[in-house]
Amino acid sequence: MGTPAAPPTEANLAYLSRAITAIENLDAQAYFNAAGVFVEVADLLVELSGELGTRSRRLTSEQGGAKGWTGEGAEAFLRVAAELEAFLTEFAEVVRGREAPTRAAGEDVLELKRGFEAILQANAVNGGGRETTPQVFPDKPPALDPVVPFEAYIA
């Protein structure tokens, strides 16, 4: 049949205890909140980019009959503003691209906890006839509301 497995050592049990604690301490909601922050930041960057474009063009055009800023300085300003506008838009796309994987990580944490709990329940030793109380993890991630406003992270 094969050699029976050796009983776990103190080091094995200590490692297992740390692993269990680490899994129990994972916070799926933190991932869902971070995903929401990525969306907020991306939206703010897009808004900032658009506002920069609008205001820079307003400075260099005629507004209500007033002569706008012209000349080489105005042209250089418009080039820099356009580059910054493009940078902000591109950065917003990068930030927005982090929302889905971050949300998926939160969903992975929920799935890990559900699976871990199922294994523990299936292998629990029923000491003294006591019933264990299973933890229940949601089938889907909780709603993002209330989302911590982005401003709270930069204050």
Side-chain angles (χ1 to χ4, degrees):
M1 279 194 74
T3 309
T9 65
E10 287 284 329
N12 296 140
L13 294 174
Y15 181 81
L16 178 60
S17 177
R18 287 193 310 272
I20 290 170
T21 299
I23 290 170
E24 289 173 344
N25 288 334
L26 288 172
D27 181 12
Q29 188 62 46
Y31 290 94
F32 300 131
N33 289 345
V37 168
F38 287 140
V39 170
E40 285 185 31
V41 169
D43 290 346
L44 287 171
L45 289 167
V46 168
E47 183 180 329
L48 181 59
S49 174
E51 190 65 24
L52 175 65
T54 299
R55 288 182 183 215
S56 63
R57 286 184 291 278
R58 188 178 305 147
L59 282 172
T60 57
S61 65
E62 294 186 12
Q63 289 276 316
K67 185 161 174 62
W69 182 21
T70 60
E72 289 181 27
E75 290 171 16
F77 169 75
L78 282 173
R79 280 192 303 276
V80 170
E83 289 173 9
L84 182 55
E85 186 178 357
F87 167 80
L88 292 171
T89 300
E90 185 177 344
F91 187 46
E93 291 172 13
V94 170
V95 172
R96 191 175 309 281
R98 302 315 316 145
E99 185 270 338
T102 303
R103 174 170 291 286
E107 292 166 0
D108 288 345
V109 167
L110 289 178
E111 184 178 328
L112 172 67
K113 285 187 163 194
R114 280 192 298 271
F116 182 67
E117 184 63 28
I119 291 167
L120 287 179
Q121 291 298 315
N123 294 289
V125 175
N126 190 348
R130 294 178 309 178
E131 290 295 322
T132 58
T133 305
Q135 293 184 19
V136 178
F137 297 101
D139 290 331
K140 63 180 185 174
L144 288 177
D145 292 329
V147 172
V148 177
F150 170 69
E151 291 79 15
Y153 292 98
I154 59 171

